[in-house]
Amino acid sequence: MSTALAHSRPWRRPPFIRSPWLRWALCVGALAYLVAALSSIDANWVRVSEGLAQGWRFAQGFFVPDFLTRSRDIWRGMEESLTMTVTSTVVGCLISVPIALGAARNIAPLPVYAVCRAIIAVSRAFQEVIIAILFVAMFGFGPFAGFLTLSFATIGFLAKLLAEDIEDIDAVQAEAIRATGASWWQVINYGIQPQVMPRLVGLSLYRLDINFRESAVIGIVGAGGVGATLNIAMQRYEYSTAGAILITVIVIVLIAEYASSHLRKWVQ
Amino acid sequence: MPVTTVGGIHAWQRRSTLAQWGVWLGWLALGALFVLCWQVMNQHTIWLFVEDAPRQAADLLSRACPPRWSYLDKLWGPLWDTINIATLGTLLGIVLATPVAFLAARNTTPSALVLRPFALLIIVASRSINSLIWALLLVAIIGPGLLAGIIAIGFRSIGFIGKLLYEAIEEIDEGQVEAVSATGASGAQVMTYAVVPQILPAFAGIAVFRWDINVRESTILGLVGAGGIGLQLQSSLARLAWAEVTVIFIVILATVALSEWVSAKVRAAII
């Protein structure tokens, strides 16, 4: 037995992709793509090496943040970002609940389902910055355009996930409520709402978190918030102010994430 | 069970009276917070512009509406750049995120006291800064172009890939690790024969998923000068050439839909 084993070929791990042809074709294709893609980078290496000195200055600014010089701008940007986050999450949730009810196949008739799914698809297709560009063009600069953008983006996110949750509920409970002679509204209120409520609260808190992060970005295209302050600080080469803004954003995101995960555990 | 008596008949209630008051108070507080935020947010809003919005929208639509399809010829190059930013950025993200994930996972980290919090800090910092902000910083540091975009996408991907990967590492079956180390395998061998095979499918899925998100994000990086189709978008917006903007939006939409389809197919094949 042992001699037979000694002469046989040693064990090897089976490869990740079984067919050798597919494996080699993928490897060659990936290599060819990589060469083509890398050759398309027209980096100006002189500029990069000059920039690294500037990068060092930025890193210094980040470690010695200056909260004071532009404290009024930072404060106003943060105020806009935070208020935008709260209002847009509330409005987005209010709008997305009826849309989610319409987009759940088990409670909505087909025409309503199609319309609501279309709304969700449109809202999810474009990302926040592109929507913000359009809303800024229509409603003017400032946090109102940002509020509309984030509300619109919230609908696609929340309505989709909530609709999927409604589709996954235990149908027996809704059936039991219906068997008592309850109206459609009562079925929703007593058969479905208690089942999805913890998830709805969890998703809203999660979206609050996302909306704050996004509110720090859409300011770059003029939709208010701390992104605008950051953009101006970078254009003025005030790296310590930019560092201060970034640190503030990171800290708030951390607090929001920690608080929302705690709240979600408490709710569920 | 909370029960009220109304006219001699016991009626079931979901909550006791006190709890019901608490719930109403909570909603009232939320409403008050909303109104406060609304007031603070809109103290500088010029309502004249907002009332004017339907007319502006109609005007925008009339200018955007026959899309200038001839502009499509100029978009293929930037589109190729955009895809390259997403792909190379994802590769960079994977390369940087893998060691971070192994440092952050509770069962593979060499030191739970020093290196693990550090790795978690990297993940959080990368996740809380959007790729557009990374691009804004990197364009200022290394100059405009594809390279800034690739690095921005790479940095943003560290947090996402690192977080999902370290969670996958923490969920592996410890029995296999024990079996391999029982044969006398070294630390590196335990890694390659017990840990890596268990996380490889999850890893491939995460990478493709992130690539899909990165294609979506790299379409707008050009707005701050980091290359790709966003540069074209920026110049068309600056010239108020809305007919070209429409074409760019359609191209972006098609690219995003295609990448989502590819990623869904690949993930379905892996898992």
Side-chain angles (χ1 to χ4, degrees):
Chain A
M1 187 66 199
S2 61
T3 50
L5 258 183
H7 287 293
S8 66
R9 121 192 117 80
W11 177 81
R12 273 169 200 270
R13 268 193 298 179
F16 189 51
I17 299 167
R18 202 143 303 162
S19 146
W21 277 107
L22 185 65
R23 190 162 69 232
W24 284 108
L26 276 178
C27 282
V28 170
L31 203 69
Y33 170 77
L34 214 57
V35 170
L38 284 173
S39 66
S40 76
I41 303 175
D42 49 347
N44 183 351
W45 295 108
V46 182
R47 170 73 180 78
V48 171
S49 65
E50 280 171 4
L52 285 181
Q54 213 174 354
W56 176 236
R57 267 186 48 214
F58 179 78
Q60 280 176 327
F62 195 78
F63 286 113
V64 190
D66 177 8
F67 290 93
L68 295 177
T69 319
R70 301 266 169 212
S71 60
R72 274 185 56 193
D73 293 346
I74 299 177
W75 178 243
R76 193 174 156 192
M78 275 296 158
E79 193 182 81
E80 281 182 3
S81 272
L82 287 171
T83 51
M84 217 153 80
T85 309
V86 173
T87 49
S88 64
T89 310
V90 170
V91 171
C93 289
L94 288 180
I95 300 174
S96 49
V97 168
I99 293 179
L101 287 176
R105 192 67 197 92
N106 52 350
I107 49 171
L110 191 61
V112 179
Y113 173 77
V115 170
C116 291
R117 284 282 163 179
I119 296 173
I120 293 174
V122 168
S123 158
R124 279 169 53 79
F126 286 114
Q127 48 176 313
E128 284 85 346
V129 173
I130 290 181
I131 302 169
I133 292 173
L134 293 177
F135 278 144
V136 166
M138 283 185 229
F139 291 89
F141 291 100
F144 190 77
F147 154 74
L148 290 174
T149 306
L150 293 179
S151 306
F152 185 70
T154 304
I155 293 171
F157 174 88
L158 207 67
K160 178 170 191 281
L161 293 177
L162 190 61
E164 278 165 10
D165 204 44
I166 295 175
E167 285 175 350
D168 283 343
I169 60 157
D170 185 3
V172 177
Q173 296 184 26
E175 190 62 42
I177 300 289
R178 199 174 290 124
T180 64
S183 65
W184 183 84
W185 184 249
Q186 284 171 325
V187 170
I188 300 289
N189 198 7
Y190 288 93
I192 291 172
Q193 191 226 3
Q195 292 193 55
V196 297
M197 203 56 192
R199 178 112 168 108
L200 175 61
V201 174
L203 285 174
S204 312
L205 287 171
Y206 183 41
R207 186 66 215 187
L208 192 75
D209 204 27
I210 300 177
N211 275 350
F212 178 73
R213 276 180 234 194
E214 290 299 329
S215 78
V217 176
I218 52 178
I220 293 175
V221 293
V226 81
T229 323
L230 182 67
N231 200 9
I232 292 169
M234 287 305 287
Q235 280 166 1
R236 286 175 179 156
Y237 300 104
E238 291 175 346
Y239 291 137
S240 30
T241 303
I245 295 171
L246 285 179
I247 289 174
T248 320
V249 170
I250 293 176
V251 168
I252 292 182
V253 167
L254 265 180
I255 294 172
E257 206 166 320
Y258 190 73
S260 86
S261 75
H262 257 264
L263 274 174
R264 267 182 282 172
K265 254 183 226 152
W266 182 65
V267 166
Q268 279 158 9
Chain B
M1 195 165 63
V3 175
T4 50
T5 318
V6 181
I9 302 164
H10 293 299
W12 175 77
Q13 270 184 322
R14 205 171 139 205
R15 296 188 183 90
S16 67
T17 316
L18 201 66
Q20 191 61 48
W21 274 100
V23 169
W24 286 121
L25 215 65
W27 284 111
L28 187 70
L30 186 67
L33 181 70
F34 173 76
V35 172
L36 175 76
C37 287
W38 181 265
Q39 297 285 356
V40 173
M41 180 182 86
N42 286 321
Q43 58 189 347
H44 301 286
T45 303
I46 301 165
W47 292 105
L48 206 65
F49 287 167
V50 176
E51 282 158 25
D52 199 33
R55 213 176 52 76
Q56 293 288 339
D59 184 43
L60 210 64
L61 205 66
S62 71
R63 291 196 223 186
C65 227
R68 195 176 300 155
W69 290 112
S70 56
Y71 191 59
L72 203 58
D73 295 336
K74 287 188 187 164
L75 289 179
W76 299 122
L79 191 62
W80 168 245
D81 285 346
T82 302
I83 306 250
N84 284 342
I85 291 176
T87 314
L88 295 176
T90 312
L91 285 179
L92 180 68
I94 290 170
V95 169
L96 295 175
T98 311
V100 174
F102 276 100
L103 290 180
R106 216 172 263 122
N107 47 355
T108 54
T109 184
S111 81
L113 276 180
V114 185
L115 285 177
R116 182 161 189 269
F118 183 66
L120 290 178
L121 182 72
I122 293 180
I123 289 175
V124 165
S126 152
R127 262 158 45 82
S128 43
I129 301 179
N130 194 289
S131 55
L132 199 62
I133 295 182
W134 277 120
L136 187 72
L137 305 179
L138 286 160
V139 164
I141 292 170
I142 60 175
L146 280 187
L147 192 64
I150 292 168
I151 299 176
I153 290 285
F155 279 3
R156 176 65 182 81
S157 304
I158 294 175
F160 182 91
I161 299 175
K163 181 167 196 285
L164 292 179
L165 196 59
Y166 99 73
E167 283 168 1
I169 297 173
E170 285 186 347
E171 280 167 18
I172 60 167
D173 181 6
E174 283 297 325
Q176 298 185 27
V177 177
E178 211 181 313
V180 173
S181 37
T183 65
S186 68
Q189 283 172 326
V190 170
M191 219 40 126
T192 44
Y193 287 94
V195 179
V196 171
Q198 290 194 58
I199 57 165
L200 212 51
F203 174 72
I206 294 165
V208 175
F209 186 31
R210 186 65 219 182
W211 174 77
D212 167 27
I213 299 176
N214 281 345
V215 170
R216 195 178 268 258
E217 294 197 338
S218 61
T219 53
I220 49 156
L221 288 185
L223 287 176
V224 294
I229 202 167
L231 277 177
Q232 244 62 25
L233 179 62
Q234 172 76 321
S235 78
S236 295
L237 281 173
R239 287 182 284 120
L240 299 176
W242 289 97
E244 295 177 1
V245 173
T246 317
V247 178
I248 295 174
F249 279 177
I250 292 170
V251 169
I252 289 178
L253 205 59
T255 315
V256 168
L258 194 70
S259 79
E260 207 161 293
W261 181 78
V262 167
S263 127
K265 282 280 160 196
V266 171
R267 272 186 293 156
I270 291 171
I271 298 163

Short mmCIF file of all heavy atoms in Angstrom, two decimals, chain A residues 150-190:
data_model
loop_
_atom_site.label_atom_id
_atom_site.label_comp_id
_atom_site.label_asym_id
_atom_site.label_seq_id
_atom_site.Cartn_x
_atom_site.Cartn_y
_atom_site.Cartn_z
N LEU A 150 -31.68 63.60 -2.46
CA LEU A 150 -31.57 62.49 -1.51
C LEU A 150 -32.93 61.83 -1.29
O LEU A 150 -33.01 60.60 -1.16
CB LEU A 150 -31.01 63.00 -0.18
CG LEU A 150 -29.55 63.46 -0.26
CD1 LEU A 150 -29.10 63.97 1.09
CD2 LEU A 150 -28.65 62.34 -0.71
N SER A 151 -34.03 62.62 -1.27
CA SER A 151 -35.35 62.02 -1.13
C SER A 151 -35.62 61.08 -2.30
O SER A 151 -36.09 59.96 -2.11
CB SER A 151 -36.44 63.09 -1.11
OG SER A 151 -36.17 64.04 -0.15
N PHE A 152 -35.30 61.55 -3.50
CA PHE A 152 -35.53 60.76 -4.71
C PHE A 152 -34.73 59.46 -4.65
O PHE A 152 -35.24 58.38 -4.95
CB PHE A 152 -35.13 61.59 -5.92
CG PHE A 152 -35.43 60.94 -7.23
CD1 PHE A 152 -36.74 60.80 -7.64
CD2 PHE A 152 -34.42 60.49 -8.04
CE1 PHE A 152 -37.03 60.20 -8.85
CE2 PHE A 152 -34.70 59.89 -9.25
CZ PHE A 152 -36.01 59.75 -9.65
N ALA A 153 -33.46 59.56 -4.22
CA ALA A 153 -32.61 58.37 -4.17
C ALA A 153 -33.10 57.41 -3.07
O ALA A 153 -33.00 56.19 -3.22
CB ALA A 153 -31.17 58.76 -3.92
N THR A 154 -33.63 57.99 -1.97
CA THR A 154 -34.12 57.15 -0.88
C THR A 154 -35.28 56.26 -1.34
O THR A 154 -35.38 55.10 -0.93
CB THR A 154 -34.59 58.04 0.29
OG1 THR A 154 -33.51 58.87 0.68
CG2 THR A 154 -35.01 57.21 1.48
N ILE A 155 -36.14 56.83 -2.20
CA ILE A 155 -37.31 56.07 -2.66
C ILE A 155 -36.87 54.76 -3.31
O ILE A 155 -37.39 53.69 -2.98
CB ILE A 155 -38.14 56.92 -3.65
CG1 ILE A 155 -38.75 58.10 -2.92
CG2 ILE A 155 -39.23 56.08 -4.29
CD1 ILE A 155 -39.40 59.09 -3.84
N GLY A 156 -35.90 54.86 -4.23
CA GLY A 156 -35.49 53.65 -4.95
C GLY A 156 -34.94 52.60 -4.01
O GLY A 156 -35.26 51.41 -4.11
N PHE A 157 -34.12 53.05 -3.06
CA PHE A 157 -33.47 52.11 -2.13
C PHE A 157 -34.49 51.47 -1.20
O PHE A 157 -34.63 50.25 -1.11
CB PHE A 157 -32.43 52.90 -1.33
CG PHE A 157 -31.76 52.15 -0.23
CD1 PHE A 157 -30.62 51.40 -0.48
CD2 PHE A 157 -32.25 52.20 1.06
CE1 PHE A 157 -29.99 50.73 0.54
CE2 PHE A 157 -31.63 51.53 2.08
CZ PHE A 157 -30.50 50.79 1.82
N LEU A 158 -35.26 52.34 -0.51
CA LEU A 158 -36.14 51.86 0.56
C LEU A 158 -37.31 51.07 -0.01
O LEU A 158 -37.65 49.99 0.50
CB LEU A 158 -36.63 53.06 1.36
CG LEU A 158 -36.98 52.77 2.79
CD1 LEU A 158 -35.73 52.42 3.55
CD2 LEU A 158 -37.64 53.98 3.41
N ALA A 159 -37.93 51.62 -1.08
CA ALA A 159 -39.11 50.95 -1.62
C ALA A 159 -38.75 49.57 -2.15
O ALA A 159 -39.50 48.60 -1.96
CB ALA A 159 -39.73 51.80 -2.73
N LYS A 160 -37.59 49.44 -2.77
CA LYS A 160 -37.21 48.13 -3.32
C LYS A 160 -37.02 47.11 -2.21
O LYS A 160 -37.60 46.03 -2.23
CB LYS A 160 -35.92 48.27 -4.12
CG LYS A 160 -35.43 46.95 -4.69
CD LYS A 160 -34.30 47.17 -5.66
CE LYS A 160 -33.99 45.91 -6.42
NZ LYS A 160 -33.20 44.97 -5.65
N LEU A 161 -36.22 47.48 -1.19
CA LEU A 161 -35.94 46.52 -0.13
C LEU A 161 -37.19 46.20 0.68
O LEU A 161 -37.43 45.05 1.07
CB LEU A 161 -34.82 47.05 0.76
CG LEU A 161 -33.48 47.15 0.04
CD1 LEU A 161 -32.44 47.74 0.94
CD2 LEU A 161 -33.03 45.79 -0.45
N LEU A 162 -38.02 47.24 0.93
CA LEU A 162 -39.24 47.01 1.70
C LEU A 162 -40.21 46.12 0.92
O LEU A 162 -40.84 45.22 1.49
CB LEU A 162 -39.88 48.35 2.05
CG LEU A 162 -41.03 48.28 3.05
CD1 LEU A 162 -40.54 47.72 4.37
CD2 LEU A 162 -41.63 49.66 3.27
N ALA A 163 -40.32 46.37 -0.40
CA ALA A 163 -41.22 45.55 -1.22
C ALA A 163 -40.78 44.09 -1.19
O ALA A 163 -41.62 43.18 -1.08
CB ALA A 163 -41.24 46.07 -2.65
N GLU A 164 -39.45 43.87 -1.27
CA GLU A 164 -38.96 42.49 -1.22
C GLU A 164 -39.30 41.85 0.13
O GLU A 164 -39.64 40.67 0.21
CB GLU A 164 -37.45 42.46 -1.46
CG GLU A 164 -37.13 42.51 -2.93
CD GLU A 164 -35.69 42.83 -3.20
OE1 GLU A 164 -34.89 42.84 -2.25
OE2 GLU A 164 -35.37 43.07 -4.37
N ASP A 165 -39.24 42.67 1.19
CA ASP A 165 -39.55 42.15 2.52
C ASP A 165 -41.04 41.81 2.63
O ASP A 165 -41.41 40.79 3.22
CB ASP A 165 -39.16 43.19 3.57
CG ASP A 165 -38.90 42.56 4.92
OD1 ASP A 165 -38.24 41.50 4.94
OD2 ASP A 165 -39.38 43.09 5.92
N ILE A 166 -41.88 42.67 2.05
CA ILE A 166 -43.33 42.40 2.10
C ILE A 166 -43.63 41.12 1.33
O ILE A 166 -44.47 40.31 1.72
CB ILE A 166 -44.12 43.59 1.53
CG1 ILE A 166 -43.94 44.81 2.42
CG2 ILE A 166 -45.60 43.26 1.42
CD1 ILE A 166 -44.58 46.07 1.89
N GLU A 167 -42.91 40.91 0.21
CA GLU A 167 -43.15 39.70 -0.58
C GLU A 167 -42.73 38.45 0.19
O GLU A 167 -43.23 37.36 -0.07
CB GLU A 167 -42.41 39.78 -1.92
CG GLU A 167 -43.10 40.72 -2.88
CD GLU A 167 -42.33 40.92 -4.17
OE1 GLU A 167 -41.17 40.48 -4.24
OE2 GLU A 167 -42.89 41.53 -5.09
N ASP A 168 -41.80 38.62 1.14
CA ASP A 168 -41.29 37.46 1.89
C ASP A 168 -42.05 37.18 3.17
O ASP A 168 -41.66 36.30 3.94
CB ASP A 168 -39.81 37.69 2.26
CG ASP A 168 -38.92 37.48 1.07
OD1 ASP A 168 -39.40 36.86 0.12
OD2 ASP A 168 -37.76 37.92 1.10
N ILE A 169 -43.13 37.93 3.46
CA ILE A 169 -43.79 37.75 4.77
C ILE A 169 -44.47 36.40 4.84
O ILE A 169 -44.68 35.73 3.82
CB ILE A 169 -44.84 38.85 5.06
CG1 ILE A 169 -45.92 38.82 3.98
CG2 ILE A 169 -44.23 40.18 5.25
CD1 ILE A 169 -47.20 39.42 4.42
N ASP A 170 -44.84 36.06 6.07
CA ASP A 170 -45.58 34.83 6.32
C ASP A 170 -47.03 35.08 5.90
O ASP A 170 -47.76 35.81 6.57
CB ASP A 170 -45.48 34.52 7.82
CG ASP A 170 -46.13 33.20 8.15
OD1 ASP A 170 -46.60 32.54 7.22
OD2 ASP A 170 -46.17 32.85 9.34
N ALA A 171 -47.45 34.48 4.77
CA ALA A 171 -48.78 34.77 4.22
C ALA A 171 -49.89 34.29 5.13
O ALA A 171 -51.01 34.78 5.08
CB ALA A 171 -48.91 34.14 2.84
N VAL A 172 -49.58 33.29 5.99
CA VAL A 172 -50.60 32.71 6.85
C VAL A 172 -51.20 33.76 7.79
O VAL A 172 -52.41 33.80 8.01
CB VAL A 172 -49.99 31.54 7.66
CG1 VAL A 172 -51.01 30.98 8.62
CG2 VAL A 172 -49.50 30.47 6.73
N GLN A 173 -50.34 34.64 8.31
CA GLN A 173 -50.84 35.65 9.25
C GLN A 173 -51.79 36.61 8.56
O GLN A 173 -52.85 36.95 9.11
CB GLN A 173 -49.65 36.43 9.83
CG GLN A 173 -48.75 35.56 10.66
CD GLN A 173 -47.64 36.38 11.30
OE1 GLN A 173 -47.79 37.56 11.52
NE2 GLN A 173 -46.54 35.73 11.60
N ALA A 174 -51.43 37.06 7.34
CA ALA A 174 -52.31 37.95 6.60
C ALA A 174 -53.63 37.23 6.29
O ALA A 174 -54.71 37.82 6.38
CB ALA A 174 -51.63 38.40 5.31
N GLU A 175 -53.51 35.95 5.96
CA GLU A 175 -54.69 35.13 5.65
C GLU A 175 -55.62 35.04 6.87
O GLU A 175 -56.84 35.18 6.75
CB GLU A 175 -54.22 33.72 5.26
CG GLU A 175 -55.27 32.82 4.68
CD GLU A 175 -55.84 33.38 3.39
OE1 GLU A 175 -55.04 33.89 2.58
OE2 GLU A 175 -57.06 33.32 3.23
N ALA A 176 -55.02 34.85 8.05
CA ALA A 176 -55.81 34.74 9.28
C ALA A 176 -56.56 36.03 9.56
O ALA A 176 -57.74 36.01 9.94
CB ALA A 176 -54.89 34.40 10.45
N ILE A 177 -55.89 37.16 9.35
CA ILE A 177 -56.57 38.45 9.56
C ILE A 177 -57.71 38.60 8.57
O ILE A 177 -58.82 39.01 8.92
CB ILE A 177 -55.56 39.60 9.40
CG1 ILE A 177 -54.40 39.49 10.39
CG2 ILE A 177 -56.26 40.94 9.55
CD1 ILE A 177 -54.77 39.77 11.80
N ARG A 178 -57.44 38.22 7.30
CA ARG A 178 -58.46 38.35 6.26
C ARG A 178 -59.67 37.47 6.60
O ARG A 178 -60.81 37.84 6.35
CB ARG A 178 -57.87 37.96 4.90
CG ARG A 178 -58.69 38.49 3.74
CD ARG A 178 -58.01 38.21 2.40
NE ARG A 178 -56.81 39.00 2.18
CZ ARG A 178 -55.62 38.48 1.91
NH1 ARG A 178 -55.48 37.17 1.83
NH2 ARG A 178 -54.59 39.25 1.73
N ALA A 179 -59.41 36.30 7.21
CA ALA A 179 -60.48 35.35 7.52
C ALA A 179 -61.43 35.91 8.59
O ALA A 179 -62.57 35.48 8.70
CB ALA A 179 -59.89 34.03 8.01
N THR A 180 -60.96 36.92 9.37
CA THR A 180 -61.86 37.50 10.37
C THR A 180 -62.79 38.53 9.74
O THR A 180 -63.59 39.13 10.43
CB THR A 180 -61.05 38.22 11.47
OG1 THR A 180 -60.35 39.31 10.86
CG2 THR A 180 -60.08 37.29 12.14
N GLY A 181 -62.66 38.72 8.43
CA GLY A 181 -63.52 39.69 7.76
C GLY A 181 -62.93 41.08 7.73
O GLY A 181 -63.66 42.06 7.60
N ALA A 182 -61.61 41.18 7.85
CA ALA A 182 -60.97 42.49 7.88
C ALA A 182 -60.96 43.11 6.48
O ALA A 182 -60.91 42.40 5.47
CB ALA A 182 -59.54 42.35 8.40
N SER A 183 -60.99 44.46 6.44
CA SER A 183 -60.89 45.15 5.16
C SER A 183 -59.44 45.13 4.68
O SER A 183 -58.54 44.73 5.43
CB SER A 183 -61.36 46.59 5.33
OG SER A 183 -60.47 47.26 6.19
N TRP A 184 -59.19 45.62 3.45
CA TRP A 184 -57.83 45.63 2.89
C TRP A 184 -56.90 46.42 3.80
O TRP A 184 -55.79 46.00 4.11
CB TRP A 184 -57.89 46.29 1.51
CG TRP A 184 -56.56 46.28 0.81
CD1 TRP A 184 -56.05 45.27 0.06
CD2 TRP A 184 -55.58 47.32 0.79
NE1 TRP A 184 -54.81 45.60 -0.42
CE2 TRP A 184 -54.49 46.86 0.01
CE3 TRP A 184 -55.50 48.60 1.36
CZ2 TRP A 184 -53.36 47.64 -0.22
CZ3 TRP A 184 -54.37 49.36 1.13
CH2 TRP A 184 -53.31 48.87 0.35
N TRP A 185 -57.42 47.56 4.27
CA TRP A 185 -56.61 48.43 5.12
C TRP A 185 -56.27 47.72 6.43
O TRP A 185 -55.14 47.81 6.92
CB TRP A 185 -57.41 49.71 5.38
CG TRP A 185 -56.64 50.71 6.16
CD1 TRP A 185 -56.87 51.10 7.42
CD2 TRP A 185 -55.49 51.42 5.72
NE1 TRP A 185 -55.94 52.01 7.81
CE2 TRP A 185 -55.07 52.24 6.78
CE3 TRP A 185 -54.76 51.45 4.52
CZ2 TRP A 185 -53.97 53.07 6.70
CZ3 TRP A 185 -53.66 52.27 4.44
CH2 TRP A 185 -53.27 53.08 5.50
N GLN A 186 -57.23 46.99 7.00
CA GLN A 186 -56.98 46.28 8.26
C GLN A 186 -56.00 45.12 8.06
O GLN A 186 -55.21 44.83 8.94
CB GLN A 186 -58.30 45.78 8.84
CG GLN A 186 -59.11 46.90 9.48
CD GLN A 186 -60.49 46.48 9.88
OE1 GLN A 186 -61.10 45.66 9.19
NE2 GLN A 186 -60.99 47.01 10.97
N VAL A 187 -56.08 44.47 6.87
CA VAL A 187 -55.12 43.40 6.60
C VAL A 187 -53.70 43.97 6.60
O VAL A 187 -52.78 43.41 7.19
CB VAL A 187 -55.43 42.71 5.25
CG1 VAL A 187 -54.30 41.78 4.86
CG2 VAL A 187 -56.73 41.96 5.33
N ILE A 188 -53.55 45.14 5.93
CA ILE A 188 -52.23 45.78 5.89
C ILE A 188 -51.77 46.13 7.31
O ILE A 188 -50.65 45.84 7.72
CB ILE A 188 -52.26 47.07 5.04
CG1 ILE A 188 -52.69 46.79 3.61
CG2 ILE A 188 -50.91 47.78 5.07
CD1 ILE A 188 -51.70 46.08 2.78
N ASN A 189 -52.70 46.71 8.08
CA ASN A 189 -52.35 47.25 9.39
C ASN A 189 -52.06 46.15 10.41
O ASN A 189 -51.14 46.26 11.21
CB ASN A 189 -53.49 48.14 9.87
CG ASN A 189 -53.06 49.06 10.99
OD1 ASN A 189 -51.88 49.11 11.30
ND2 ASN A 189 -53.99 49.75 11.58
N TYR A 190 -52.83 45.05 10.38
CA TYR A 190 -52.68 44.02 11.41
C TYR A 190 -51.95 42.77 10.90
O TYR A 190 -51.39 42.03 11.70
CB TYR A 190 -54.06 43.61 11.96
CG TYR A 190 -54.67 44.68 12.81
CD1 TYR A 190 -55.54 45.62 12.27
CD2 TYR A 190 -54.35 44.77 14.17
CE1 TYR A 190 -56.08 46.62 13.04
CE2 TYR A 190 -54.89 45.77 14.94
CZ TYR A 190 -55.75 46.70 14.38
OH TYR A 190 -56.27 47.68 15.15
#
